[in-house]
Amino acid sequence: MSNLNIRNVFGGKERVIKHKSGCTICLYPMGEFSSVHAFFGTKYGSVDTTFKTRYDDDYITVPEGIAHYLEHKLFENDECDAFELYAKTGAHANAFTSFDCTAYLFASTQEFGENLRILLNLVQQPYFTDENVEKERGIITQEIKMYLDDPGTRVFYNCMGGIYHNNPARIDIAGTVESIQEIDKELLYRCYNTFYNLNNMVLSIAGNFDPDKALAICDELLICKEDPQIDVLVPDEPYNVKEKKIVQKLACAMPLFQLGFKIPYPENASKDYLAFNIMLETALGDTSEFYNRLYNEGVINDSFGVGVTKGRGFFVPVVCGITHDPERVTAEVLAELARVKKEGLSRESINTSIKMTYGETFSFDNVEKVARNGMMAQFEGKDIFSNAETAASLTYDDAMDMLEKLDLDNYCLSIIEPNE
Amino acid sequence: MDIKNFSRKKIADGVHISCYKDTRFQKNRIEICFSDILDRKYASLNAIIPAVLSRSNSKYKTMQELNNRLSQLYAAGINDFVEDEGDIQAFGLYSYSLCNEYAFDGENVLEEISTMLRDCIFDPYLENGIFPDSVVQLQKQNMIDVNNNDINNKTRYASMRAQAIAYESEPASVRRLGENEDIEEITAESAYKRYIEILETKNVEIICVGPADYTIVEKIFTEAFSKINRRPEPKFRTARSSIKNTVSVITEEMDIEQSKLVMVYKSDYDKEQWKHAMLASYMLGGDVSSKLFTIVREKLSLCYYCSSGFRRGKFAMIVNSGVEKDNLEKARTAIQQQLDELRNGKFTDEDMEKAKLSIATVLKACNDCMDSISTWISGCIYDDDYTTPEEKINHYSAVTREQIIAAADSMKLDTVYTLTSKEEKA
């Protein structure tokens, strides 16, 4: 990539600022676009269930699903809900909770300033009452139940549950119908006051907006608080998976499978994430002999895929798909990985996968993705260019090293079978 | 959307290339789309063609060879698609590829991907003069699996079933990939024969979006189509769906936790005034400030999702919801009540303005995404109406309260479809 300067894709107009409030602010002006997307996120997700701050004597463990519950509740204040305010400007608002972050976002094409004010206020002004917390329980219960019927979701969570004994990544992000019964307004405030501290948060804005105006609004509305020094306990995790195989029956036409490998959380997770993807793509992806043999035999189809599920404190290389014969696919995957561990992969095929991964990470012309990726990169202590740069600089040895990290006996196979 | 960036040209009988040059993007998107009326006799045959063509060509004879070259071109993709839009089946290939300037080994990615696309479509890998039987058999099985796997996504499945019932006997009731029995009957010979018919008779739209100069794409496809004996059929249009005399009420069972309720409304409203009906549907359940979200979900806590969407071609409004089994009747009543509120004018001017603003945001933002620009171009071509999103915003803005009431009032319940748990599990 000698002639390439990824860092120039925004013409040097991007800014990353550590604001006096403690918040990290990323600004990506893309004036030639019509819309603006803003993400205001906290480094707080479903895995952060046991924690303390410097004000606490001891750790507290909160019910599973509380980060997601909190996300639902923040849209409401004492006068109205934030959706009503956004509706007056025409902005589209949403939020999401993942294993390790929660983010609130809007997309708009007008009244940027007003929308940013709504966003900053809604996240900084919690309003929880016994009544409004109770009202949300029904909606979240329906959300959980909807995903209980979804084989793609279940095969994923069952696999995570089979891999980890103690890591909270083993539990659904939304928790369970039972666990959310324990959530009340006091617990919500406790979690809010711990994690919704600006020192723990990132505001990322991309698109057609005035950066100076954005910063002026931030100066006005971001509330400085002392850093509570959050200490999240990541439970000790045995080396071996909890269960090697989990099978569930659901309404589906043919079996779904996910094979997840347990490995210790890597020192450089961002780099290993890309290197693992390259190695798995080379060994098992659609350019490999393996893939094409099984595809041509009708054993796998276009749903077959490889990748890595990662977050703070967990890192799981996975192989998944829909197949009539998940046991055979698993046996074939394990045999192929054992073979390439012994015989290696060709330099040419790894170089092809490096180019492919670089092409996939090169995504700076989509306003929403830029805002989102800008935030996510900060949560990992990186910047928005890091992934593409790392991908382009990876070597054959980097990819081969990942094979060494893979313990082929330490996996969980999750299968969803048709129930009739 | 800047119409100055848009060009459209006929390159053969029934074949047009439309280009939207936009230097903001770092990738190029090229789509070659064939269209046909949805007809059970041909739906499966049409659907298998792009699946077969996207796997190889005469230069890259196997899927592995083709995938290898695409990966070397920075994760460029040649993908097949089959879509149903009203009564129409649209199918073909599309590609995404990184702009040449970001290729660190200096490849001419655009020219190569265009050539590969051409070869896939016009110079496929053949055995004994037809598609290889093994490839056809494999794609048949994949199509049957995709059809069967429709049940995995219960929300989508319920909506699909409801629409199949609502549009019974109309082309739109035909499944996108056809029925499994029809797929099973496909042979390598019948697929190849259909492929030739498609090349010769179906209308073709080539749509390019991105920063490049697409002269090379035009040249490549003009030459390719000049070798085909083109005799294109007239263009097909989606017909409005007729309203049943009696509401179809269908309940199906599945082993599930959450029931799905889908209500299909149809209207005999003036088809030219579809924006009135679209706005009425949006106010009912188009976004988070709509009646279905604020009342049925938020106030009554009846469901996690409850929304409505308007199908312009069929002139039908589809309400989708996920509901606890015990609350199905309550949800049905609540949804109907919210529509009644609209038709009785029980909404404020502010409610109307919110919906217009929200639609304006969607329309303005469609300029920012390659997929939505491509969709906008397809819509313009299909409707033969090159109204820009900005002009559409003005049209919505002019819709009056009385027109929304009239459009809502014209909505007649046609189909109620429920997917619910089996009795023993309730």
Side-chain angles (χ1 to χ4, degrees):
Chain A
M1 51 173 292
S2 52
N3 298 322
L4 199 63
N5 187 359
I6 297 168
R7 287 185 179 270
N8 204 31
V9 292
F10 298 116
K13 289 183 199 157
E14 74 282 6
R15 283 196 253 174
V16 177
I17 297 155
K18 185 71 178 169
H19 189 256
K20 62 186 176 190
S21 62
C23 186
T24 300
I25 301 174
C26 309
L27 304 172
Y28 306 101
M30 299 162 74
E32 61 281 22
F33 286 81
S34 305
S35 58
V36 53
H37 287 249
F39 285 69
F40 193 17
T42 172
K43 200 172 168 179
Y44 171 48
S46 67
V47 297
D48 302 307
T49 50
T50 303
F51 56 84
K52 73 184 192 74
T53 67
R54 64 175 169 157
Y55 307 114
D56 303 314
D57 294 329
D58 204 358
Y59 289 97
I60 177 177
T61 297
V62 292
E64 289 143 359
I66 195 165
H68 173 256
Y69 209 114
L70 192 46
E71 172 222 309
H72 271 241
K73 286 319 307 163
L74 268 191
F75 276 95
E76 220 167 331
N77 67 25
D78 56 346
E79 286 165 6
C80 62
D81 76 33
F83 288 130
E84 280 181 49
L85 300 173
Y86 279 125
K88 289 177 184 164
T89 70
H92 293 182
N94 210 338
F96 67 86
T97 308
S98 70
F99 281 121
D100 59 3
C101 83
T102 309
Y104 303 79
L105 52 128
F106 73 79
S108 70
T109 52
Q110 59 212 350
E111 297 200 51
F112 163 72
E114 181 56 23
N115 290 320
L116 183 58
R117 285 172 187 280
I118 297 168
L119 178 66
L120 299 186
N121 282 329
L122 92 89
V123 176
Q124 293 186 101
Q125 293 172 3
Y127 178 69
F128 310 140
T129 65
D130 291 332
E131 292 73 30
N132 73 21
V133 171
E134 191 53 43
K135 186 210 77 178
E136 205 67 21
R137 219 180 299 277
I139 294 170
I140 297 175
T141 299
Q142 283 306 314
E143 184 177 358
I144 292 169
K145 286 192 171 184
M146 184 173 83
Y147 288 113
L148 287 178
D149 287 331
D150 182 50
T153 304
R154 292 317 325 152
V155 77
F156 168 75
Y157 281 121
N158 289 354
C159 184
M160 296 298 280
I163 286 172
Y164 290 112
H165 295 253
N166 306 315
N167 191 306
R170 64 186 307 276
I171 304 295
D172 292 28
I173 289 165
T176 63
V177 172
E178 293 73 35
S179 73
I180 64 164
Q181 304 307 318
E182 301 165 34
I183 294 171
D184 58 23
K185 75 170 190 221
E186 285 74 24
L187 281 172
L188 288 171
Y189 272 120
R190 174 85 181 253
C191 292
Y192 178 84
N193 289 328
T194 301
F195 292 101
Y196 284 69
N197 184 292
L198 292 175
N199 296 283
N200 196 45
M201 299 179 74
V202 175
L203 172 67
S204 178
I205 308 171
N208 193 339
F209 71 103
D210 175 355
D212 293 329
K213 184 175 180 182
L215 286 174
I217 293 170
C218 288
D219 287 344
E220 182 192 333
L221 294 181
L222 289 179
I223 302 162
C224 296
K225 283 183 192 166
E226 260 189 78
D227 186 347
Q229 293 170 7
I230 302 162
D231 179 7
V232 176
L233 196 69
V234 180
D236 286 339
E237 185 62 38
Y239 177 82
N240 288 317
V241 295
K242 184 167 184 281
E243 291 175 71
K244 282 209 102 157
K245 187 173 173 184
I246 295 178
V247 180
Q248 183 187 355
K249 288 188 185 294
L250 270 181
C252 59
M254 58 193 276
L256 291 82
F257 80 98
Q258 178 160 322
L259 179 65
F261 293 93
K262 188 171 188 177
I263 63 168
Y265 189 71
E267 204 172 297
N268 190 344
S270 303
K271 183 183 173 192
D272 280 13
Y273 172 80
L274 293 168
F276 251 110
N277 270 297
I278 287 164
M279 182 277 286
L280 289 170
E281 273 297 338
T282 311
L284 308 173
D286 65 11
T287 58
S288 68
E289 291 283 341
F290 168 86
Y291 180 98
N292 285 276
R293 177 173 58 82
L294 291 192
Y295 188 99
N296 290 332
E297 284 180 33
V299 179
I300 60 172
N301 51 37
D302 296 328
S303 69
F304 183 87
V306 297
V308 176
T309 298
K310 82 165 166 67
R312 223 168 33 255
F314 63 94
F315 190 98
V316 184
V318 296
V319 181
C320 59
I322 305 178
T323 171
H324 291 287
D325 195 348
E327 302 283 357
R328 174 168 170 204
V329 176
T330 301
E332 295 266 12
V333 166
L334 293 172
E336 180 62 7
L337 289 172
R339 187 189 71 76
V340 296
K341 250 176 176 280
K342 197 170 152 194
E343 299 173 15
L345 290 159
S346 80
R347 279 180 191 277
E348 190 190 349
S349 58
I350 283 190
N351 286 338
T352 297
S353 296
I354 288 173
K355 275 190 169 181
M356 191 180 93
T357 304
Y358 163 76
E360 283 168 349
T361 54
F362 197 97
S363 187
F364 304 105
D365 59 0
N366 180 304
V367 178
E368 182 184 358
K369 277 189 190 169
V370 168
R372 177 190 288 261
N373 293 346
M375 177 187 74
M376 301 305 282
Q378 289 299 320
F379 283 143
E380 291 186 26
K382 309 280 178 190
D383 70 26
I384 195 166
F385 308 110
S386 305
N387 261 351
E389 278 183 343
T390 306
S393 67
L394 284 171
T395 64
Y396 174 83
D397 290 341
D398 290 326
M400 290 304 295
D401 286 348
M402 297 305 111
L403 269 172
E404 294 306 311
K405 293 191 178 187
L406 211 53
D407 178 350
L408 296 180
D409 291 323
N410 203 16
Y411 65 83
C412 172
L413 171 63
S414 163
I415 298 174
I416 301 294
E417 289 177 347
N419 54 8
E420 55 190 44
Chain B
M1 198 77 70
D2 192 343
I3 207 75
K4 290 199 297 291
N5 295 340
F6 179 72
S7 65
R8 179 167 162 78
K9 193 173 176 184
K10 182 177 170 182
I11 59 169
D13 270 355
V15 183
H16 291 81
I17 182 165
S18 303
C19 302
Y20 191 86
K21 185 174 167 66
D22 195 327
T23 54
R24 298 172 305 166
F25 298 114
Q26 292 144 5
K27 290 187 177 170
N28 291 298
R29 186 187 196 281
I30 304 171
E31 174 179 306
I32 293 95
C33 179
F34 299 84
S35 59
D36 198 358
I37 190 96
L38 270 162
D39 177 346
R40 188 168 163 182
K41 191 174 171 191
Y42 294 113
S44 302
L45 275 166
N46 288 346
I48 203 169
I49 303 305
V52 170
L53 297 181
S54 64
R55 310 289 155 172
S56 63
N57 59 41
S58 59
K59 183 173 180 189
Y60 301 101
K61 293 184 171 55
T62 66
M63 190 171 76
Q64 188 177 7
E65 288 173 29
L66 186 70
N67 287 340
N68 248 314
R69 188 57 198 148
L70 290 167
S71 295
Q72 285 162 2
L73 293 172
Y74 310 90
I78 290 183
N79 307 293
D80 56 307
F81 68 90
V82 181
E83 287 165 6
D84 51 350
E85 182 56 51
D87 293 341
I88 307 299
Q89 185 186 32
F91 52 97
L93 303 182
Y94 71 94
S95 76
Y96 267 101
S97 57
L98 197 62
C99 290
N100 294 345
E101 65 194 277
Y102 300 110
F104 53 69
D105 283 342
E107 298 93 334
N108 187 339
V109 181
L110 180 68
E111 183 164 354
E112 186 160 353
I113 199 82
S114 306
T115 307
M116 287 168 85
L117 268 171
R118 178 202 61 193
D119 290 348
C120 285
I121 294 172
F122 293 94
D123 198 5
Y125 175 65
L126 304 175
E127 283 175 2
N128 303 318
I130 56 174
F131 296 132
D133 185 57
S134 57
V135 174
V136 172
Q137 295 308 324
L138 202 54
Q139 294 312 324
K140 280 169 62 177
Q141 186 57 51
N142 286 346
M143 284 166 64
I144 289 169
D145 289 343
V146 169
N147 264 350
N148 293 341
N149 289 334
D150 275 342
I151 68 164
N152 287 4
N153 183 328
K154 276 61 181 179
T155 302
R156 205 173 53 211
Y157 175 75
S159 190
M160 197 183 82
R161 287 286 304 129
Q163 290 181 72
I165 294 160
Y167 306 144
E168 192 183 356
S169 308
E170 298 170 19
S173 66
V174 175
R175 292 179 84 170
R176 183 175 66 94
L177 303 181
E179 296 297 332
N180 287 350
E181 306 92 87
D182 303 326
I183 297 170
E184 277 164 4
E185 285 182 13
I186 296 173
T187 63
E189 289 83 1
S190 66
Y192 188 74
K193 182 169 172 273
R194 185 61 183 166
Y195 158 72
I196 297 296
E197 284 169 3
I198 287 168
L199 278 186
E200 292 179 346
T201 64
K202 299 303 159 197
N203 281 283
V204 185
E205 295 293 343
I206 301 168
I207 299 174
C208 307
V209 180
D213 175 351
Y214 295 107
T215 311
I216 184 69
V217 184
E218 183 186 324
K219 182 172 175 282
I220 284 171
F221 282 95
T222 302
E223 279 173 15
F225 274 108
S226 71
K227 293 170 190 156
I228 304 292
N229 176 25
R230 291 283 299 167
R231 40 194 172 80
E233 296 163 343
K235 272 193 173 182
F236 299 106
R237 292 266 185 269
T238 292
R240 182 202 290 265
S241 188
S242 52
I243 305 170
K244 295 191 189 82
N245 293 326
T246 313
V247 176
S248 292
V249 180
I250 306 285
T251 297
E252 292 180 341
E253 291 187 338
M254 199 184 269
D255 194 2
I256 49 176
E257 294 277 342
Q258 184 188 73
S259 299
K260 310 292 178 192
L261 171 66
V262 186
M263 297 165 74
V264 181
Y265 294 85
K266 293 180 189 167
S267 162
D268 56 5
Y269 201 72
D270 179 359
K271 202 162 184 180
E272 292 303 306
Q273 305 299 333
W274 60 272
K275 289 190 184 74
H276 306 172
M278 175 73 95
L279 198 50
S281 170
Y282 206 85
M283 287 177 68
L284 179 69
D287 73 355
V288 289
S289 64
S290 67
K291 285 178 171 292
L292 295 183
F293 188 89
T294 55
I295 307 292
V296 182
R297 175 185 139 128
E298 289 291 301
K299 192 171 169 194
L300 302 175
S301 292
L302 278 175
C303 28
Y304 172 60
Y305 71 91
C306 188
S307 64
S308 62
F310 182 67
R311 303 286 178 272
R312 179 180 165 187
K314 302 308 288 179
F315 228 85
M317 181 172 75
I318 323 292
V319 174
N320 286 294
S321 61
V323 191
E324 190 81 35
K325 185 172 187 172
D326 292 343
N327 288 333
L328 277 166
E329 205 45 49
K330 269 192 220 165
R332 179 177 166 175
T333 305
I335 290 165
Q336 186 59 48
Q337 274 172 353
Q338 293 314 307
L339 178 58
D340 290 343
E341 298 253 299
L342 267 188
R343 55 165 59 113
N344 292 327
K346 288 188 180 164
F347 58 88
T348 63
D349 287 348
E350 196 188 352
D351 292 335
M352 195 167 67
E353 290 313 310
K354 283 179 192 170
K356 289 178 180 178
L357 271 174
S358 183
I359 289 175
T361 299
V362 175
L363 287 168
K364 279 186 199 165
C366 100
N367 179 37
D368 282 356
C369 168
M370 297 176 87
D371 280 341
S372 44
I373 292 173
S374 191
T375 303
W376 171 74
I377 295 170
S378 300
C380 291
I381 294 165
Y382 176 72
D383 297 326
D384 197 21
D385 171 7
Y386 292 84
T387 307
T388 63
E390 291 76 12
E391 289 164 335
K392 276 193 181 142
I393 292 169
N394 293 333
H395 296 165
Y396 278 113
S397 188
V399 176
T400 65
R401 175 181 186 80
E402 289 69 31
Q403 289 167 332
I404 290 168
I405 292 170
D409 195 41
S410 73
M411 292 291 173
K412 306 281 185 297
L413 187 61
D414 179 276
T415 300
V416 178
Y417 173 81
T418 308
L419 182 66
T420 191
S421 58
K422 292 179 177 169
E423 276 311 317
E424 62 273 19
K425 201 179 175 180

